[in-house]
Amino acid sequence: MDEQAFWNVIAQYNRNTIIIQVILLILTVIALSLSYTNKVACLAKLVLGIANLFIGIMFF
């Protein structure tokens, strides 16, 4: 696989998953702020775990 083909695959993945990526980003920011204020201590770990699972399943 040449360099251009690799970046085309990455670009296609980003186009297909942009909505879910934005949702996960918003959820992560909310979870981090709630965890920082000690309202829900483990929420950030949970949301980051879900984001990692999403990336692992969808990309690979």
Side-chain angles (χ1 to χ4, degrees):
M1 176 184 288
D2 67 340
E3 180 181 352
Q4 189 60 41
F6 172 78
W7 288 114
N8 287 338
V9 169
I10 300 295
Q12 185 64 31
Y13 167 79
N14 283 332
R15 281 191 293 271
N16 291 339
T17 61
I18 188 69
I19 294 171
I20 298 171
Q21 289 180 33
V22 170
I23 292 169
L24 285 172
L25 177 64
I26 293 168
L27 288 175
T28 302
V29 169
I30 292 168
L32 286 171
S33 64
L34 288 174
S35 292
Y36 183 74
T37 60
N38 291 326
K39 294 188 189 283
V40 185
C42 295
L43 188 60
K45 290 180 183 179
L46 177 67
V47 172
L48 289 172
I50 291 169
N52 282 325
L53 283 173
F54 169 75
I55 291 169
I57 291 170
M58 293 303 291
F59 189 74
F60 296 108

